[in-house]
Amino acid sequence: MSTIIPMMERLPRLPLNDVLDALRSAFTKLAEGSAVQPPQTRTLLPGGGDVIAYQAALDDTYGLKISPYLPQTGRSAVVTAWTLVLSTRTGRPLLLCDAHALTVERTAATSALAVDHLARPEADTLAVIGSGPQAHAHLRYARAVRPFTAVRMYAPTLTEAKAPDGVTVAHSAEEAAADADVVLLCTSAAQPVIDTAALTPGTVVTSISTNAPRAHEIPPAALPAMEVYGDYRPTVTTAAGEMVLATERGLWSAEQLRGDLPELLTGSCPLPSGEQPVFFRSIGLGIEDLAIARLLERP
C-alpha cells in the first residue's frame, strides 16, 4: 500500500543521525555504481517560471521530485515541491508527499556531510547567513557533525530574541563570517551575499542558493581563488549559477572541481590543502530526496 502525506506540517521530525546515515549510504552507493543520478531537468513555462525535476534510482526504488518556481507580480515567487517514490519491483507508488520539509532536511544534511569531510579537525567557529528554515536546519545538522563552540548568525531581520539557543547575532554578513572556520550560506539570494576575498585559508563555505536561473551566493570570479567541491560532479558544474557563469567567462572550468560527496565518502578525491578557502556547492539531487523520503516508509 502506498503512503500519501499531503501536508508538510504532518511530516514527522526525522532523527538527524538517520537522515545523515541515509545520505552517507546513498552517496556511497552512487560512488560504487549501484545507484543512478540523472541530471536535473528544467522545463521553462509559458509566461515565465519553470519546473525542475529531480530523479534517482536507489536499491529497489525510483524517486521523482518536481519543484515549480512560479514568479508572481508584486510578491514573492511561489515555490512548491512534491516527491513520488515507486517500487522498481512492482511499478507501484510507495509514497507521495509534499516535499517542502524533506527538501529542507536533505539540503541541510548534505551541507553537513560536506562540512564533516572538508572542515579542519579543530574547526570550532560557525557562521550562518540566513535565518529561515534552511538556516535553522543547517545549524542543527552542522552541530550534529561537529562540536562548534561559537556560532554567529546574520540576517537583516534577525534579532537576539529570535536567535536559536547559543547563537550570537551579527550585525552584518561580513561580521558573521570574519575568522569563521565554516560559513553556511542559507539564503534565497540570487546574487553574492559575502565577500570571499576576506575569508582566511581553510575556511569552508557551503552554498545552496535558490532555483532562480543562475542564482549564486558568491561571486563567480571568486572560484579560481578557492578549492571547489560539489554534491555530484556530473551535475553540479552545469547547474550551479556561479560555476556556469565562471565557465562562460573563462575564469574557471569543470576540470578544476576537486571532488564531490561520493568521492569524499569513499576517499577518492583530495581533501582541502588548507592553503585557500574551500567552497562546497549543493544544487540538490534526486538521490538525496529519494534517500530521505524512504525513511517515511518505516513504521
Side-chain angles (χ1 to χ4, degrees):
M1 181 179 294
S2 60
T3 302
I4 299 177
I5 305 178
M7 299 298 290
M8 60 182 173
E9 60 264 26
R10 292 177 55 194
L11 290 174
R13 173 59 63 85
L14 297 170
L16 272 63
N17 287 335
D18 288 0
V19 172
L20 290 166
D21 286 345
L23 287 179
R24 288 189 186 100
S25 175
F27 279 114
T28 299
K29 290 178 179 179
L30 195 55
E32 296 170 346
S34 57
V36 178
Q37 177 56 69
Q40 293 179 4
T41 300
R42 182 190 298 270
T43 301
L44 300 179
L45 301 176
D50 58 51
V51 178
I52 300 178
Y54 305 79
Q55 302 181 75
L58 178 64
D59 296 330
D60 58 355
T61 56
Y62 163 85
L64 170 66
K65 185 179 82 173
I66 55 171
S67 179
Y69 174 81
L70 310 173
Q72 307 293 305
T73 303
R75 53 195 177 95
S76 299
V78 172
V79 181
T80 65
W82 292 86
T83 293
L84 172 68
V85 179
L86 295 174
S87 167
T88 55
R89 290 183 292 103
T90 67
R92 296 180 61 82
L94 301 173
L95 174 76
L96 173 66
C97 70
D98 181 322
H100 264 103
L102 287 185
T103 299
V104 171
E105 297 296 307
R106 64 86 149 141
T107 304
T110 298
S111 295
L113 286 185
V115 167
D116 197 27
H117 285 82
L118 298 174
R120 293 175 289 230
E122 68 275 16
D124 64 358
T125 303
L126 174 68
V128 181
I129 311 301
S131 63
Q134 279 288 2
H136 286 264
H138 271 70
L139 177 58
R140 291 199 313 273
Y141 280 97
R143 283 173 160 171
V145 299
R146 291 297 186 93
F148 293 104
T149 59
V151 180
R152 300 189 291 264
M153 180 178 282
Y154 169 75
T157 59
L158 182 63
T159 64
E160 294 285 352
K162 296 179 181 178
D165 291 341
V167 171
T168 300
V169 176
H171 296 96
S172 67
E174 290 73 21
E175 179 183 310
D179 299 320
D181 296 301
V182 175
V183 181
L184 306 176
L185 304 182
C186 308
T187 77
S188 58
Q191 299 294 326
V193 295
I194 63 168
D195 178 12
T196 55
L199 299 172
T200 57
T203 298
V204 175
V205 179
T206 72
S207 174
I208 56 172
S209 195
T210 180
N211 62 349
R214 297 194 172 189
H216 51 281
E217 293 176 298
I218 71 165
L223 294 186
M226 306 182 80
E227 296 183 341
V228 182
Y229 296 80
D231 48 9
Y232 187 46
R233 184 183 292 276
T235 59
V236 67
T237 57
T238 60
E242 69 288 329
M243 295 184 186
V244 172
L245 291 169
T247 300
E248 289 179 352
R249 296 169 187 173
L251 303 173
W252 187 83
S253 69
E255 289 73 25
Q256 293 173 265
L257 190 79
R258 289 173 63 89
D260 62 11
L261 276 176
E263 293 166 344
L264 286 168
L265 281 162
T266 56
S268 54
C269 70
L271 293 175
S273 67
E275 298 175 357
Q276 294 178 300
V278 178
F279 180 59
F280 174 80
R281 182 61 149 94
S282 171
I283 62 167
L285 297 167
I287 200 164
E288 299 165 6
D289 298 305
L290 179 55
I292 307 311
R294 283 159 41 118
L295 297 176
L296 298 176
E297 295 179 64
R298 303 183 310 184

